[in-house]
Amino acid sequence: EPTAEPTAEPTAEPTKLPIPMPTVAPGNPSKMPSSYPTPEPSSDPTVVPSSVPTSMPSALPTPAPEAGVLVTTPDWHTVSEESGKQTSSFEISLTAEPLDTVYVNFTSLGNTAMDPAWVKFTFGNYDTPQTVTVSGIDDSIDQGPWYKDHIDVNFTSADECKEGTRDLPCGQYVAYNGFDGTNSADGKSLRMDVNVTDDDTAGVQVTTTHVNTTFDNYGDALGEDMYGIRLTSEPRYDVTLSLSTDGRFSYTDVPSVTFTADDWYTVQYVTVTSSAATGRRPVCQDSLTREPAKYKQKCAELTGRKDVISHAFTSSDPFYTDATNSVQDVKIYSTVFYDPVLPPFLSTAKFTTLLNGVLVTFDKDTVQPGGAGSFECVSVLNLTVTKKTLGTDWIGDGALCSWLSASSLKVTFGMGPTVIPDDILHLKDGVVQSSNAYASLFAMNQSITILGPDKPTVPTVTFNAPQAIGVCDDLTLDASASQGSGGRDMTFNYTVKCSNADACANVTAVLDEANKVNGGTGTHTVTIPASVISKGLKMEFKLTASNFLGEMTSRTTSVEKLGYPAPNVAIQGGNPRETTYSEELVLRADASLPEMKCVADSLSNAKMTYVWTELTGQYTGSLSTTNPRILRIAKNQLLATKSYEFQCFVALTSNTENNNTASVVVDVTQQPVTAKIAGGKERASGTDQALVLDAGDSVDPDDMSDEWSYVWSCVNKTDGTVCKDTTGGQLQIQPNTTNALARVPAGKLYTGTYEFSVFVKKDDRNDTTSTTVVITAGAPPVVSIGTLSEDKYNPIADSYLRLAGSATSSGSIVSTEWTQVGSSVTGAFISGSDMRATGVVQLDALTAGVTYTFMLTAKDTFGESSYSTVEVVMNEAPSSGGLSITPSHGYVFETDFSFLSENWVDEDLPLSYKFVYTVGYEGSWTPVADAQASASYDALLPQGLVEDNYTLTGMTVVYDYYDSYSSATDTTRVLPVKYSTAQLANISAALTTEALELGDPEASMQIMGATHKSLSGGSSDERRKLMSSSEEAALRTTLLATLKETYTVSDVTEANVDSMMSTLDGIVNAPNDLTTATAIDSLLFAKKLLRVSVDSEIGISTTGTGYVGTALSYLLLSSMFNASDVTSATPVSAANVTDTLRFLSMAQLYGAYAGIEYTVSSAMIHSASAREEAQYLGGDSRGMPGSNVKVSFPSNFSNAAKLPVSGNTYVDMRVVTLDTDVYTAYASYRNSGNTVASNMYGSSTYNTDLNSAVTQVEVMDEDGNVFDVGGLDPAEPIYVTMQATEPIDTNFSGWKMEKICYTDGQVLEIDCPLGKQTYTCDSSLGGVDGTYFLDFTCPGVVPTCMWWSEDEGEWPTKAAAW
């Protein structure tokens, strides 16, 4: 409670002592001296004996004396500012005895000092003269040769006198306090004039009278110089010196400098630069030649010169003006610094072999303008000038440039380039510069003729066509996947030979017309109507394709027209096609029902049967399929050098005699062996160490049974001779030159650089590789880097490379560090891994087509360091192609949209094509099918949104052999069709049934996508309601059942998981319209799909992860977790949420390295999943996007938690926050969507518990086995910090209410903070009349950290600390 106001008691007023009047200190009249003396008490006796008679004569009384002073002084005091050089003095005394002690103080205007500054007179010495010395006060201000001052004399005294204490009556003594000196004994004024001789001179001092500057060969300023300026005296007002040069090409860094009274003596420095005396760049314009031999670095304009800097005053100080002062000029001596090298010159510009770019080389290394990675070519090329008027798109739409090395620039064409050999490539002026540190000149006026390739690519024709067609079917010949175009349209020419020449005429006519389209360049895809092909006709089609350089090739394919209806079937890709022992073979059959329009029969159903066989008998493995149209032969099943023939038999299930077949020959090519030396591309070793080289990691991708053979050799890189040992003889490699291990004993090599090579051989295949070893003195740490598993790596998002290094020493390793050498790339390593022995590289930070060198350096306790390097080759993605979607508009469920991806170029064949779409122009992408060999695909698309004019954006993603990819987009419009609930359900059921009967699960998912998008209607803001919620709920239940059936015939691939998760997201996106059973089933399906993704080792894409997050968010809001629908299944569903999120984390982290983290952020779910080596766990905090929760792990967590793993074992951490409590039901979501919930398992007296988000933390191994962290020390726990979403009143005052009960059974209504509460009065608790006071405590929000028990199914456990 507040304390009483303290009472202030009066205190005695202090006695006031007389204080002498302070004097003004010399030099500052406004300030009082701090050392002014305190008046001293008199030592005179109280009674003074006197010989004067006690009685006075009756004569007139003696008049009282007057105050007076005697000053002996010259007429003028002349003093000097310079200390001790010239002084003056005066004497002073009183003419009458004072009443009390008199203090005489001397003051001046501040330019004169008196010593002493004051004197004291008493009755004993008042008439004794005291000498005062006058001197000048030295300042820094120039006030002319001399200036005046004066001395004032001031008197102070207490003027107190007690009768009987002096010889005379007090009236006979004089009062001096405030005496003004009007009664001086010598009649002189007490103000004394002083002449002060000034020793200061106003002026400017410069530290040097000349500076030296340089400018470069280009003409720009290079070397700077500086000079300092200060004043020689303190100015009374600010002084500004303006700086100017007498030439336009010398410059000062400031236009002026200003001095004040505070900084006048501080030197201010002026930086001076100079450029060439002309505005032209480069200066020597007449030397701009395309020939280095004729280039001139010197010209008349590029010469040294002398400029002058002058200064001008601006000040109110009369001593600092141009009229009264001057500043010495500063001369500028400018000289030219010539480049040590000429600017870069274009050496060559040549088409690449693939014809999709131009490789430009320079005669020297450049600064690589545009930087690392790919950039727009306009940065380095003049795209508006060519030999021909081609416009700015002559290298194609979306063309990119990249530096493959410091002297090699690659121009990768975009879509539709027009450049051809003999066109002129022009370099952009003033951009490309030598990498020499002292270079200034740029490549100017540089152009070069583009040469054709050394060995141009030849087109490869790939047919996608059936081997036989039914009697009523049209024939489509599709060669859109043909290669060798160089990124532009090829010329196609079809011809045909027939078993019946007469019957061939109509077919030939159709082909002739096709050859005339596109301005006579023909088309890759031709459809021949069934009406022009006779029954039984056997046709051999020949397609000749030629690219823009005239390179051409031809391929034939044979087709027979059957005399009866038969299913259409064709196997995608070329025939024959190639594969290898080490890769999976995927054969995809395109199949459709036979046309029946030309016969009287009809089909009873759409169900078809597929049977795959291998016709040569050499393959005896499994031919079973999940998707009946796709045969997958696992890697390491087809033997190198063998040929196989696979056939797909397709028949109507109701009548298997109505069938057709397609076959393909598969040649398994033999792959080359690869020689590898463990340890690194270059490494350091010591003279005192044995050198061991190991070629045991050499690779035979075909795993042939023949033995390896090895031949080692060594060359001294200094002189190119065969290596010699320290005895002078040829170096002997132990145990011999034909072993996988090569050993050189310690002391056998002098310091120097050596190249060790190994020639490896297996059967008739061989390869050679080498490693450089730098021998240094002593025994530095041994640093080694493991061999890489791939020939190339892809610079794409979420791709990483683990560089496994190690370092050992006879002492201890104190540090390791990874660096990238030889390029300007930054941020190549994920945070922290660059300081470990094993580093993880973020591949998307690197540039396609470039070979990078990474170095691992280690230091030991002896201060010794060593290193090893490894080279990483970056793959180039497919380029120069595009996508077209036809028609430009259509209707949902009624229009088949054709995707065509063409003219893509890459050296790593074969290419595969994936087609995806998004509603509108941007958003999550949904696959229409898995990646395939065909460059075209027909798909059913969902309707667009009205706000986007029903636009859908389609994308083709094109992959090469190493899975590097590029993409292109196109748009189309998909308009809605109005269906009733029953119509929508019926058409969806009919189409999905047909698709599944045809063995086409991808078409089934397309139809389901169109269906759930139709449920969402044509607007993103509101959902079109059907006739009743129950009908819509039934339709969603049906869709889920269809999705589950589709899953059973779908291969588990990344694209299919994305597609199924997208479909599930669409099914559950209206939680109100899901039955509890459908919601539970949907959660189980998500869990199952994620688990199989983990088990199948495919992981999950970023797109798929997004769909999981949104789908689970919808399910968290479903009736599955509504208190009114609680069943025994509800706790199981809560556990399934945990399991599903665990599998999501495992799928995200599949194949991840230490230090990698993935996140999810959706409406209700926020998670972070990270992988780390056990030894580096802990000491950090994990957060999640979209959530304020933080989880902090103790340092050295692995040891603290006693995890049963070694230090380098991968440990996964999963932190997830659910914005709703899956253990607490949403009581009123259907109506208001609020977050007030009732606890499902604990007691809730008032049914208004407020629950925070639920945070889950798990630490597990790579297989999802969760570690028990119960061994953690309570002093070092895992901290989970959660932010309250509601105010927490921990004061409790707002929860206490007072009421009065008057009668028994009276119901009181109490307004509590969380809502009204009631209380029924009980008169037995009251007094005689039953009345009593009620102290009521409302339910309140009390922060309590609770841990859920899966075993107990409740929240029984409070946290150890809060």
Side-chain angles (χ1 to χ4, degrees):
E1 292 184 357
T3 58
E5 185 75 12
T7 303
E9 297 183 1
T11 58
E13 187 172 337
T15 303
K16 294 183 179 180
L17 299 178
I19 299 176
M21 182 68 67
T23 60
V24 178
N28 193 346
S30 64
K31 294 185 178 179
M32 304 298 182
S34 60
S35 59
Y36 194 84
T38 303
E40 298 178 359
S42 171
S43 59
D44 295 341
T46 303
V47 178
V48 180
S50 174
S51 58
V52 180
T54 57
S55 61
M56 300 297 292
S58 58
L60 293 173
T62 303
E66 295 182 359
V69 64
L70 176 61
V71 179
T72 304
T73 179
D75 291 338
W76 289 90
H77 291 285
T78 301
V79 296
S80 170
E81 283 188 359
E82 188 175 351
S83 178
K85 185 175 182 180
Q86 184 177 8
T87 61
S88 183
S89 65
F90 63 89
E91 292 182 342
I92 186 170
S93 61
L94 305 184
T95 60
E97 187 174 349
L99 281 169
D100 203 346
T101 301
V102 178
Y103 296 93
V104 183
N105 184 47
F106 312 109
T107 62
S108 72
L109 294 177
N111 299 301
T112 306
M114 282 64 69
D115 184 22
W118 56 272
V119 294
K120 179 177 73 173
F121 292 101
T122 65
F123 70 90
N125 73 338
Y126 72 92
D127 56 354
T128 302
Q130 297 192 50
T131 301
V132 178
T133 300
V134 181
S135 61
I137 297 176
D138 195 8
D139 62 13
S140 302
I141 303 172
D142 184 357
Q143 303 180 64
W146 60 273
Y147 55 92
K148 291 184 177 181
D149 199 354
H150 60 258
I151 303 169
D152 289 327
V153 184
N154 302 291
F155 298 83
T156 58
S157 175
D159 287 342
E160 292 183 353
C161 178
K162 292 183 180 181
E163 293 291 345
T165 61
R166 302 281 290 273
D167 292 341
L168 300 175
C170 288
Q172 296 299 309
Y173 300 105
V174 178
Y176 270 93
N177 188 48
F179 174 60
D180 59 8
T182 57
N183 189 27
S184 59
D186 56 2
K188 293 184 178 180
S189 169
L190 294 187
R191 169 170 288 186
M192 294 169 276
D193 293 322
V194 181
N195 289 335
V196 182
T197 302
D198 200 340
D199 64 350
D200 299 299
T201 303
V204 176
Q205 186 179 63
V206 294
T207 58
T208 183
T209 59
H210 72 275
V211 291
N212 298 301
T213 61
T214 58
F215 50 91
D216 59 33
N217 213 153
Y218 191 68
D220 290 343
L222 181 61
E224 61 186 30
D225 202 353
M226 61 176 60
Y227 69 97
I229 309 176
R230 71 172 181 85
L231 303 185
T232 58
S233 69
E234 179 184 335
R236 295 183 178 180
Y237 302 95
D238 290 354
V239 176
T240 298
L241 280 172
S242 298
L243 316 177
S244 61
T245 61
D246 61 351
R248 293 189 301 115
F249 300 100
S250 287
Y251 321 92
T252 56
D253 63 332
V254 291
S256 63
V257 291
T258 298
F259 296 94
T260 68
D262 295 327
D263 66 0
W264 65 272
Y265 197 75
T266 302
V267 177
Q268 297 192 44
Y269 288 94
V270 177
T271 300
V272 184
T273 55
S274 301
S275 62
T278 176
R280 294 196 306 272
R281 294 292 183 273
V283 174
C284 301
Q285 293 280 323
D286 57 354
S287 66
L288 299 183
T289 175
R290 297 182 178 91
E291 301 178 40
K294 297 181 179 179
Y295 192 90
K296 296 180 180 179
Q297 289 184 262
K298 300 180 180 180
C299 58
E301 298 93 333
L302 197 66
T303 56
R305 66 180 187 281
K306 180 176 71 174
D307 292 333
V308 175
I309 302 174
S310 56
H311 311 77
F313 286 100
T314 302
S315 178
S316 297
D317 190 323
F319 293 96
Y320 280 105
T321 66
D322 290 331
T324 60
N325 221 320
S326 63
V327 185
Q328 190 171 8
D329 291 340
V330 175
K331 296 180 176 61
I332 307 171
Y333 294 96
S334 301
T335 56
V336 60
F337 182 86
Y338 292 100
D339 282 15
V341 296
L342 295 179
F345 283 85
L346 289 167
S347 294
T348 60
K350 184 181 294 186
F351 268 85
T352 60
T353 298
L354 296 177
L355 309 181
N356 67 325
V358 171
L359 187 62
V360 182
T361 61
F362 294 85
D363 65 345
K364 58 179 61 66
D365 286 350
T366 72
V367 294
Q368 303 180 55
S374 298
F375 54 90
E376 293 187 5
C377 294
V378 70
S379 300
V380 291
L381 300 181
N382 185 339
L383 299 178
T384 61
V385 181
T386 62
K387 186 186 70 172
K388 303 174 182 178
T389 305
L390 300 176
T392 58
D393 61 347
W394 63 283
I395 55 175
D397 183 22
L400 293 173
C401 285
S402 59
W403 291 96
L404 303 185
S405 70
S407 61
S408 179
L409 173 72
K410 184 175 183 182
V411 181
T412 301
F413 299 152
M415 186 171 61
T418 57
V419 59
I420 61 175
D422 294 332
D423 279 344
I424 307 298
L425 180 142
H426 290 261
L427 204 61
K428 191 173 184 177
D429 286 347
V431 171
V432 180
Q433 196 175 35
S434 167
S435 61
N436 186 285
Y438 301 102
S440 66
L441 294 170
F442 293 90
M444 305 287 290
N445 194 31
Q446 291 284 305
S447 62
I448 194 168
T449 299
I450 303 174
L451 304 176
D454 292 333
K455 186 178 181 181
T457 188
V458 176
T460 300
V461 175
T462 301
F463 267 122
N464 189 23
Q467 293 166 330
I469 58 173
V471 67
C472 301
D473 288 295
D474 298 338
L475 171 61
T476 297
L477 305 172
D478 182 359
S480 58
S482 299
Q483 297 293 313
S485 68
R488 59 191 84 188
D489 292 338
M490 289 194 289
T491 298
F492 296 96
N493 185 272
Y494 277 96
T495 59
V496 62
K497 293 180 179 179
C498 300
S499 57
N500 184 333
D502 294 336
C504 222
N506 291 334
V507 177
T508 299
V510 173
L511 297 180
D512 288 344
E513 289 301 315
N515 294 335
K516 295 176 183 178
V517 302
N518 297 322
T521 61
T523 178
H524 48 65
T525 301
V526 177
T527 297
I528 304 173
S531 59
V532 304
I533 308 175
S534 302
K535 293 180 182 180
L537 186 65
K538 296 181 179 179
M539 299 160 284
E540 182 183 81
F541 294 94
K542 179 180 180 181
L543 174 59
T544 301
S546 58
N547 58 33
F548 68 99
L549 291 186
E551 299 292 332
M552 65 177 61
T553 192
S554 299
R555 183 173 289 276
T556 61
T557 187
S558 296
V559 182
E560 179 181 1
K561 174 72 171 284
L562 302 175
Y564 53 87
N568 282 297
V569 58
I571 297 177
Q572 292 184 6
N575 188 9
R577 63 184 299 176
E578 293 182 348
T579 190
T580 63
Y581 170 80
S582 59
E583 64 180 301
E584 180 189 38
L585 173 67
V586 180
L587 299 176
R588 175 188 283 260
D590 292 331
S592 62
L593 290 171
E595 283 286 348
M596 306 295 290
K597 59 188 176 184
C598 68
V599 295
D601 294 337
S602 62
L603 298 176
S604 59
N605 59 59
K607 191 169 183 61
M608 294 201 297
T609 298
Y610 297 79
V611 178
W612 289 88
T613 56
E614 199 283 310
L615 302 181
T616 69
Q618 297 184 92
Y619 175 73
T620 58
S622 173
L623 291 169
S624 63
T625 64
T626 302
N627 182 332
R629 296 176 173 223
I630 300 176
L631 176 66
R632 296 180 181 273
I633 306 295
K635 63 182 180 179
N636 304 337
Q637 296 296 306
L638 302 180
L639 302 180
T641 73
K642 301 291 186 180
S643 289
Y644 302 84
E645 185 173 3
F646 292 91
Q647 181 186 79
C648 182
F649 170 88
V650 182
L652 297 180
T653 305
S654 60
N655 180 11
T656 56
E657 292 184 0
N658 193 331
N659 62 72
N660 202 349
T661 60
S663 62
V664 60
V665 174
V666 178
D667 296 326
V668 185
T669 60
Q670 191 171 40
Q671 302 173 89
V673 296
T674 303
K676 294 189 176 185
I677 302 175
K681 185 64 177 177
E682 180 178 314
R683 73 197 75 181
S685 186
T687 54
D688 299 340
Q689 295 169 316
L691 174 64
V692 179
L693 302 174
D694 185 359
D697 287 339
S698 298
V699 176
D700 174 15
D702 290 335
D703 199 21
M704 303 295 279
S705 59
D706 300 67
E707 294 294 325
W708 287 96
S709 64
Y710 307 86
V711 177
W712 289 93
S713 60
C714 178
V715 172
N716 188 319
K717 292 193 72 173
T718 303
D719 56 16
T721 61
V722 174
C723 296
K724 291 182 171 55
D725 61 20
T726 50
T727 67
Q730 183 172 338
L731 179 67
Q732 299 299 311
I733 298 176
Q734 299 177 358
N736 51 61
T737 60
T738 60
N739 196 284
L741 288 177
R743 178 181 173 86
V744 178
K748 286 294 185 179
L749 287 172
Y750 286 115
T751 59
T753 303
Y754 303 87
E755 183 176 78
F756 288 85
S757 299
V758 64
F759 171 83
V760 301
K761 189 174 185 298
K762 196 175 190 184
D763 48 60
D764 59 350
R765 297 167 295 158
N766 60 76
D767 190 30
T768 301
T769 191
S770 63
T771 184
T772 298
V773 180
V774 178
I775 301 295
T776 60
V782 177
V783 182
S784 179
I785 302 173
T787 57
L788 302 181
S789 60
E790 301 290 341
D791 297 329
K792 296 181 180 180
Y793 293 88
N794 301 323
I796 56 180
D798 293 331
S799 291
Y800 303 90
L801 169 62
R802 180 176 180 266
L803 299 177
S806 64
T808 59
S809 171
S810 56
S812 298
I813 299 298
V814 296
S815 68
T816 56
E817 182 181 11
W818 283 97
T819 54
Q820 195 282 314
V821 295
S823 79
S824 59
V825 67
T826 58
F829 288 88
I830 65 171
S831 179
S833 75
D834 55 333
M835 305 306 292
R836 301 176 182 177
T838 295
V840 179
V841 180
Q842 299 182 114
L843 294 176
D844 61 351
L846 307 181
T847 302
V850 176
T851 297
Y852 290 91
T853 299
F854 293 95
M855 176 185 292
L856 175 62
T857 303
K859 294 182 180 179
D860 62 16
T861 50
F862 303 120
E864 297 287 332
S865 66
S866 186
Y867 70 92
S868 181
T869 68
V870 63
E871 289 185 347
V872 178
V873 179
M874 301 308 298
N875 186 27
E876 294 183 83
S879 67
S880 309
L883 171 69
S884 62
I885 303 176
T886 55
S888 61
H889 70 278
Y891 293 88
V892 66
F893 296 116
E894 297 179 0
T895 305
D896 281 336
F897 292 87
S898 296
F899 289 69
L900 176 61
S901 181
E902 56 185 337
N903 293 331
W904 292 92
V905 180
D906 195 274
E907 66 179 350
D908 301 311
L909 301 177
L911 300 183
S912 58
Y913 306 83
K914 184 171 73 173
F915 300 101
V916 299
Y917 70 86
T918 186
V919 176
Y921 296 95
E922 58 184 4
S924 298
W925 298 95
T926 300
V928 297
D930 201 358
Q932 57 180 29
S934 176
S936 61
Y937 189 84
D938 292 343
L940 187 150
L941 298 176
Q943 69 183 57
L945 299 176
V946 63
E947 55 261 41
D948 295 324
N949 197 23
Y950 301 106
T951 298
L952 265 70
T953 301
M955 177 189 293
T956 179
V957 185
V958 185
Y959 300 87
D960 69 5
Y961 176 82
Y962 292 99
D963 285 333
S964 188
Y965 61 85
S966 294
S967 62
T969 61
D970 194 16
T971 59
T972 188
R973 296 174 60 231
V974 185
L975 284 69
V977 176
K978 293 184 179 179
Y979 295 110
S980 66
T981 306
Q983 288 173 328
L984 181 62
N986 289 339
I987 193 171
S988 177
L991 291 175
T992 52
T993 298
E994 179 179 331
L996 292 174
E997 287 181 344
L998 289 173
D1000 193 352
E1002 292 162 332
S1004 176
M1005 283 186 279
Q1006 295 166 27
I1007 298 160
M1008 285 187 286
T1011 303
H1012 71 68
K1013 286 292 193 302
S1014 294
L1015 283 175
S1016 299
S1019 171
S1020 61
D1021 297 324
E1022 61 181 41
R1023 183 173 57 85
R1024 179 178 67 85
K1025 295 299 294 181
L1026 299 179
M1027 292 180 63
S1028 71
S1029 179
S1030 61
E1031 288 190 352
E1032 184 169 338
L1035 180 52
R1036 292 181 185 274
T1037 300
T1038 300
L1039 286 174
L1040 179 62
T1042 304
L1043 176 60
K1044 292 166 65 177
E1045 184 181 0
T1046 302
Y1047 162 80
T1048 63
V1049 290
S1050 297
D1051 291 335
V1052 180
T1053 65
E1054 181 181 281
N1056 286 341
V1057 170
D1058 287 354
S1059 185
M1060 285 185 275
M1061 283 299 183
S1062 171
T1063 303
L1064 180 65
D1065 176 49
I1067 292 172
V1068 302
N1069 67 6
N1072 278 350
D1073 297 318
L1074 294 176
T1075 67
T1076 300
T1078 302
I1080 292 172
D1081 221 9
S1082 296
L1083 178 59
L1084 286 172
F1085 180 76
K1087 173 183 171 181
K1088 178 179 181 179
L1089 191 55
L1090 288 169
R1091 180 165 192 163
V1092 77
S1093 297
V1094 173
D1095 293 343
S1096 301
E1097 299 183 348
I1098 65 166
I1100 191 168
S1101 70
T1102 302
T1103 298
T1105 298
Y1107 285 128
V1108 174
T1110 54
L1112 290 183
S1113 291
Y1114 290 130
L1115 289 173
L1116 291 179
L1117 299 176
S1118 71
S1119 60
M1120 175 170 46
F1121 297 113
N1122 190 306
S1124 62
D1125 291 329
V1126 172
T1127 68
S1128 59
T1130 307
V1132 177
S1133 294
N1136 282 334
V1137 170
T1138 299
D1139 291 342
T1140 302
L1141 291 170
R1142 183 181 301 127
F1143 285 127
L1144 174 60
S1145 175
M1146 293 171 65
Q1148 286 182 288
L1149 291 173
Y1150 171 73
Y1153 301 124
I1156 305 299
E1157 180 181 66
Y1158 295 100
T1159 60
V1160 178
S1161 182
S1162 61
M1164 306 296 289
I1165 296 174
H1166 316 279
S1167 75
S1169 301
R1171 175 163 291 171
E1172 189 54 275
E1173 290 184 23
Q1175 61 186 321
Y1176 298 117
L1177 279 177
D1180 62 346
S1181 295
R1182 296 283 173 179
M1184 295 146 287
S1187 171
N1188 291 311
V1189 174
K1190 296 290 183 184
V1191 178
S1192 301
F1193 293 88
S1195 59
N1196 199 3
F1197 173 72
S1198 179
N1199 288 340
K1202 302 179 177 62
L1203 299 186
V1205 294
S1206 61
N1208 60 357
T1209 301
Y1210 284 162
V1211 175
D1212 295 344
M1213 293 175 287
R1214 180 177 71 87
V1215 180
V1216 61
T1217 291
L1218 309 179
D1219 283 348
T1220 182
D1221 183 353
V1222 296
Y1223 311 101
T1224 301
Y1226 265 60
S1228 54
Y1229 169 78
R1230 288 180 180 274
N1231 298 320
S1232 60
N1234 62 53
T1235 57
V1236 178
S1238 60
N1239 192 306
M1240 183 180 298
Y1241 300 109
S1243 62
S1244 178
T1245 304
Y1246 300 105
N1247 200 32
T1248 53
D1249 294 346
L1250 292 180
N1251 293 277
S1252 72
V1254 174
T1255 294
Q1256 299 177 350
V1257 184
E1258 286 188 338
V1259 183
M1260 53 193 180
D1261 63 17
E1262 291 183 81
D1263 297 324
N1265 299 308
V1266 179
F1267 291 116
D1268 180 0
V1269 295
L1272 275 174
D1273 186 341
E1276 291 188 280
I1278 299 174
Y1279 285 100
V1280 183
T1281 305
M1282 307 175 72
Q1283 180 173 352
T1285 57
E1286 298 285 341
I1288 297 177
D1289 179 10
T1290 55
N1291 185 36
F1292 310 131
S1293 60
W1295 305 354
K1296 300 181 184 301
M1297 302 288 177
E1298 293 182 353
K1299 293 287 183 180
I1300 301 177
C1301 278
Y1302 293 100
T1303 60
D1304 189 55
Q1306 177 185 0
V1307 177
L1308 301 179
E1309 191 174 82
I1310 304 167
D1311 291 328
C1312 286
L1314 298 182
K1316 292 184 182 299
Q1317 302 292 322
T1318 59
Y1319 175 81
T1320 302
C1321 296
D1322 180 1
S1323 60
S1324 66
L1325 301 177
V1328 177
D1329 60 355
T1331 302
Y1332 62 95
F1333 288 94
L1334 172 67
D1335 293 324
F1336 185 87
T1337 301
C1338 293
V1341 182
V1342 180
T1344 305
C1345 190
M1346 305 293 289
W1347 303 97
W1348 177 257
S1349 170
E1350 296 285 357
D1351 296 332
E1352 299 175 45
E1354 58 183 57
W1355 297 96
T1357 311
K1358 290 188 178 181
W1362 174 253

